Amino acid sequence: MRSLTVDLDARSYPIHIGAGLLARTDVIQAHLKAPLVAVVSNETVAPLYLAGISSALRDQGVRITEIILPDGELHKDWQTLNRIYDGLLNNRCERATTVIALGGGVVGDLAGFAAATYQRGVPFIQLPTTLLAQVDSSVGGKTGINHPLGKNMIGAFHQPRLVLADTDTLKTLPDRELHAGLAEVIKYGLVRDASFFDWIESNMDKLLARETGALTYAIERSCINKAQIVAEDEREAGVRALLNLGHTFGHAIEAGLGFGDWLHGEAVAAGTVMAAELSRRLGWLSSADCVRTTALLQQAGLPTQGPALGADRYLDLMALDKKVTAGKMRLVLLKGIGEGVVCTEIGANDMRAAIEACCHG
Ligand code: NAD
Ligand code: GLY
């Protein structure tokens, strides 16, 4: 088992990464406030992994409520959130009940937001089961839901007490989902960790073949990067914004097509190519590094061209992004591999040209 800490003073918490960790209910129990748990999962993940966790915790004297949601980004909405509150209330869950998210980023974001708001906040634990959730969404306390007009527009910061990433769960993950997670792994290399980018280039075959050693290393190194950023800037006043590389373009793709058509990681990949192309046009990123970026995403089985929504539609949707401040769009661009920068003064014509260069049709 590999372990690291997200250092947030009294709210610090461990991330454990390793094979078979879902069986370590003793570790989960040690982080409960009381022997009361509500596990939130979905109809795909629950049949795979929930029974073992629930019965082991029950054997340890923990009272369990199970809340099973429909699967998919389309359900990251008010109606599904309300189903969690229904489950918590119908089962008389208390302030000392720990909400546990068992699933990918959608379950994690929904369950985390429910934990942040139920009775003004209850304890929360993340058991991420996708690569994307293990390298990104389970760490750092961002929780929330989508609005039809914009991605992740309603939410709260609520840190978990524990993140337990069982690498064995990745064995049942569809290829397309594994690839989507690699987009966020590559992101860390691009924005702040050039030697990790080199390592990913050299080890992509092992990652795609799901070699445990390579996946564990990629998850650990991603979590180290994320934990450092979150410890420095929990509420995204500065450096945390770098983690949104490709996301402003990507959120426009997700909202523009309707949530759930493209996977989040796929939209981030195409958005990252747009950000790299814009950086190249501004004279910041060399053509060679722009090509390397696109090639690595392509090697990871990810789309490197966006859907043909039309540049004006992209710009409209991007203007709804959470990073817009005083009417100014904030974009994460690249000054080199491993060197992300947050920019506010990018002209619409430059953005339009980069989008058009990186779209189908
Ligand atoms: P997801 O949660 O939809 O999971 C992907 C699919 O894989 C789903 O169908 C799910 O049921 C299935 N699945 C999950 N684990 C499985 C397993 N072990 N075996 C088989 N199938 C499994 O998608 P995701 O990529 O995990 O997360 C994307 C979401 O995360 C987006 O909503 C995005 O906005 C959010 N996100 C949040 C943060 C954050 O900081 N909170 C960061 C990045 C992304
Ligand atoms: N995924 C971006 C963040 O956590 O800040």
Side-chain angles (χ1 to χ4, degrees):
M1 175 166 96
R2 310 289 303 167
S3 298
L4 60 139
T5 302
V6 181
D7 194 354
L8 291 167
D9 299 321
R11 291 173 300 114
S12 297
Y13 55 92
I15 303 170
H16 301 303
I17 303 154
L21 286 188
L22 286 186
R24 294 295 307 274
T25 46
D26 56 318
V27 179
I28 297 175
Q29 200 184 16
H31 287 82
L32 301 181
K33 194 168 173 185
L36 301 168
V37 157
V39 186
V40 179
S41 191
N42 73 19
E43 56 204 12
T44 305
V45 178
L48 294 169
Y49 301 112
L50 181 54
I53 298 168
S54 289
S55 74
L57 282 172
R58 273 190 194 110
D59 289 349
Q60 290 164 239
V62 177
R63 190 186 142 216
I64 310 272
T65 296
E66 295 179 350
I67 301 171
I68 311 300
L69 307 177
D71 188 3
E73 184 75 33
L74 202 59
H75 299 290
K76 196 171 136 180
D77 60 7
W78 271 117
Q79 286 79 6
T80 311
L81 179 68
N82 216 29
R83 286 175 64 159
I84 305 180
Y85 297 135
D86 290 346
L88 295 171
L89 286 162
N90 283 328
N91 290 283
R92 300 184 193 285
C93 291
E94 307 171 7
R95 276 208 169 137
T97 300
T98 298
V99 170
I100 298 184
L102 173 70
V106 170
V107 164
D109 282 8
L110 277 159
F113 190 39
T117 46
Y118 182 67
Q119 299 198 7
R120 300 199 183 89
V122 296
F124 178 45
I125 285 177
Q126 288 268 20
L127 305 180
T129 63
T130 63
L131 181 61
L132 186 139
Q134 295 185 355
V135 300
D136 192 352
S137 63
S138 66
V139 176
K142 280 189 183 175
T143 73
I145 57 172
N146 300 326
H147 185 279
L149 293 179
K151 170 92 179 156
N152 294 334
M153 276 293 162
I154 295 139
F157 284 95
H158 190 57
Q159 299 292 343
R161 293 178 157 220
L162 165 72
V163 179
L164 213 56
D166 183 344
T167 51
D168 279 347
T169 61
L170 303 181
K171 291 178 182 160
T172 54
L173 197 63
D175 280 340
R176 192 175 164 202
E177 301 291 349
L178 184 86
H179 301 167
L182 289 171
E184 304 280 17
V185 174
I186 293 167
K187 169 185 84 179
Y188 294 109
L190 284 169
V191 298
R192 73 192 302 267
D193 192 348
S195 65
F196 186 34
F197 188 92
D198 295 343
W199 181 90
I200 302 165
E201 279 185 324
S202 305
N203 289 276
M204 183 56 81
D205 291 350
K206 292 181 186 154
L207 293 169
L208 290 170
R210 303 182 193 223
E211 284 189 17
T212 304
L215 282 172
T216 305
Y217 180 79
I219 296 164
E220 184 185 9
R221 183 101 173 229
S222 298
C223 287
I224 289 171
N225 273 292
K226 181 135 189 196
Q228 284 171 353
I229 285 193
V230 170
E232 197 178 321
D233 177 24
E234 183 185 4
R235 298 265 165 158
E236 200 170 302
V239 71
R240 186 164 180 172
L242 289 179
L243 296 180
N244 297 317
L245 175 70
H247 285 57
T248 305
F249 294 105
H251 289 171
I253 294 172
E254 286 185 85
L257 291 176
F259 297 112
D261 191 341
W262 280 39
L263 302 181
H264 175 70
E266 293 171 341
V268 166
T272 298
V273 174
M274 291 175 189
E277 170 63 12
L278 181 50
S279 307
R280 186 193 67 77
R281 283 170 183 266
L282 294 168
W284 296 350
L285 189 69
S286 70
S287 296
D289 282 346
C290 192
V291 168
R292 262 178 93 191
T293 302
T294 307
L296 190 57
L297 291 162
Q298 209 158 32
Q299 213 190 329
L302 288 160
T304 53
Q305 288 209 297
L309 303 175
D312 287 335
R313 176 89 175 117
Y314 271 91
L315 292 177
D316 279 352
L317 289 162
M318 287 163 70
L320 271 175
D321 194 78
K322 288 192 299 310
K323 290 177 293 304
V324 172
T325 310
K328 282 194 171 165
M329 208 179 286
R330 283 193 299 155
L331 280 181
V332 183
L333 298 179
L334 296 169
K335 292 226 161 166
I337 285 177
E339 217 188 321
V341 279
V342 180
C343 310
T344 48
E345 303 295 338
I346 308 299
N349 285 344
D350 286 325
M351 285 195 254
R352 197 173 276 115
I355 292 165
E356 279 166 356
C358 300
C359 275
H360 289 291

